[in-house]
Amino acid sequence: MNARPDGLRDGGGSAWKDYTAKQVFGNQASSLVGMFGSSSKPETVKLKEVEEVEAQEAKSRKLGNLTWNSTRVPAPDFVVAADKIGPSFRAEFAVFIGEEVLKEVRMLGPRRASAVEARKDGNELRRVAFRTALKDPTLAEVLKRWRELQGMTWSPQALVGDDVLETSEQQLPVLRARVQTKRENYQTAAEWFHANNAKKEFEENFAPVGPNWSLCQLHTPVPTPPGVWRMHERKDQEGKHFPVIFFNASDGKYYRNKVAEGTYNHENSRWVQTGVPHLAQEWPIRLAHGSACLPGSSGRKDSLA
């Protein structure tokens, strides 16, 4: 059976037949009450966490009368962040390119005196990306608008409408990290088989790019969607390891922590989808030695290497 693009597997077809618990388990059926709900055909099984993420992704693909016509490439998105230089605010804009190898391109809008102005910048970039980014991976129109915004000042008349609302930020799903737990109750037999077979199946179908990925254990806090998780780690100043990027082997997606400041705490972390990480490469170099003498106006000579 082939894996579906959305990471799920199709269940039985017309040969599926409903049986009672007693017919399947005999006299042990009474001890299994509550493990399964009412019987249903295992066509496509989606857990609640997956449905919530997909619903948010579908919402993010709408911007007024514009539609992002791809389910494989996340829609453009932005958040407004307080800048260290200021006080000021900037739109942190992200747009994705490529379907086979997904890349995240991030841009910083100009510094603004208010979050409202920064939101206007973010929505301007998002609107241009909705119209052009899927057709133009060079992002020429997006970069053009980004350069125009650097020299623009928004009038009070322009700072009205949906573009300046706080709800216009962060349309893509933001995931919390939590400790994985084993489920005891399932609504259908198909859900039980899906959950118990997922790790084996998806490990074979999806693998992260690059070396040094660690398999997350059951006690490791990971983003909320179910799956087999791997992570890349770093060390903090105290020598403790903490994750900087997660990979879900169940759907092939990468996630980065949008909370980058301070000591890592999984309860405060917020994970958003990102592109395929860059791979470090080694290139041979050759150094050429040389020196020059630069006479100064006072007659002093400085040596330059």
Side-chain angles (χ1 to χ4, degrees), residues 1-13 42-45 194:
M1 188 180 298
N2 295 325
R4 292 160 45 107
D6 58 5
L8 303 177
R9 294 172 69 92
D10 290 327
E43 295 175 352
T44 299
V45 179
H194 168 71

Side-chain angles (χ1 to χ4, degrees), residues 47 49-50 53 173-176 178 180 222-229 248 250-251 255:
L47 301 179
E49 296 89 342
V50 177
V53 170
V174 178
L175 309 177
R176 293 175 179 268
R178 69 179 186 185
Q180 302 178 88
V222 298
T224 48
V228 180
W229 289 92
N248 190 333
S250 301
D251 57 18
Y255 295 86

Side-chain angles (χ1 to χ4, degrees), residues 30-302:
S30 59
S31 64
L32 300 175
V33 173
M35 182 176 181
F36 302 113
S38 58
S39 176
S40 63
K41 296 180 181 180
E43 295 175 352
T44 299
V45 179
K46 292 183 180 179
L47 301 179
K48 179 181 178 182
E49 296 89 342
V50 177
E51 291 180 339
E52 290 176 348
V53 170
E54 291 183 349
Q56 184 63 35
E57 289 176 341
K59 180 182 176 183
S60 72
R61 292 194 287 270
K62 294 289 185 180
L63 177 60
N65 60 352
L66 299 175
T67 301
W68 184 257
N69 295 314
S70 175
T71 57
R72 298 183 63 184
V73 180
D77 201 7
F78 78 96
V79 295
V80 171
D83 195 76
K84 293 181 179 179
I85 300 177
S88 60
F89 300 86
R90 307 182 80 172
E92 296 181 355
F93 176 74
V95 59
F96 295 83
I97 56 175
E99 289 194 356
E100 297 301 324
V101 180
L102 189 68
K103 293 293 184 181
E104 182 185 16
V105 180
R106 283 183 270 173
M107 307 176 188
L108 283 174
R111 292 186 176 90
R112 301 294 191 184
S114 68
V116 170
E117 294 172 284
R119 285 190 202 110
K120 184 68 174 178
D121 293 334
N123 277 300
E124 284 291 312
L125 292 171
R126 189 165 174 245
R127 191 170 290 108
V128 175
F130 258 72
R131 294 193 183 104
T132 64
L134 286 176
K135 300 176 182 177
D136 179 19
T138 66
L139 303 177
E141 291 299 318
V142 177
L143 291 170
K144 177 183 177 182
R145 188 56 175 159
W146 176 80
R147 287 190 291 267
E148 292 172 349
L149 290 172
Q150 305 302 313
M152 285 185 60
T153 300
W154 294 110
S155 66
Q157 293 77 13
L159 299 176
V160 296
D162 294 342
D163 278 2
V164 299
L165 297 179
E166 189 174 356
T167 52
S168 66
E169 299 180 42
Q170 193 59 68
Q171 296 301 302
L172 291 174
V174 178
L175 309 177
R176 293 175 179 268
R178 69 179 186 185
V179 177
Q180 302 178 88
T181 57
K182 293 184 178 180
R183 297 186 61 184
E184 301 294 339
N185 297 311
Y186 297 90
Q187 297 299 314
T188 66
E191 188 177 325
W192 181 84
F193 283 114
H194 168 71
N196 281 271
N197 291 332
K199 181 174 181 179
K200 177 181 178 181
E201 294 171 353
F202 294 140
E203 276 256 81
E204 295 173 354
N205 291 331
F206 300 95
V209 172
N212 302 323
W213 289 89
S214 302
L215 181 64
C216 297
Q217 304 302 316
L218 191 62
H219 64 277
T220 304
V222 298
T224 48
V228 180
W229 289 92
R230 295 183 179 275
M231 63 182 176
H232 251 301
E233 295 178 301
R234 290 179 184 168
K235 285 185 178 181
D236 60 19
Q237 294 181 350
E238 298 179 357
K240 297 180 180 179
H241 288 85
F242 67 97
V244 293
I245 187 169
F246 279 107
F247 175 76
N248 190 333
S250 301
D251 57 18
K253 295 179 180 179
Y254 298 85
Y255 295 86
R256 62 177 173 85
N257 186 11
K258 60 177 293 187
V259 181
E261 297 182 356
T263 304
Y264 177 78
N265 184 330
H266 78 271
E267 295 181 353
N268 298 330
S269 64
R270 299 294 183 270
W271 298 89
V272 293
Q273 188 176 351
T274 188
V276 175
H278 295 289
L279 295 179
Q281 290 182 291
E282 294 184 2
W283 296 92
I285 61 172
R286 172 180 286 182
L287 296 177
H289 298 279
S291 62
C293 236
L294 181 64
S297 58
S298 62
R300 174 182 170 182
K301 295 182 179 180
D302 294 324

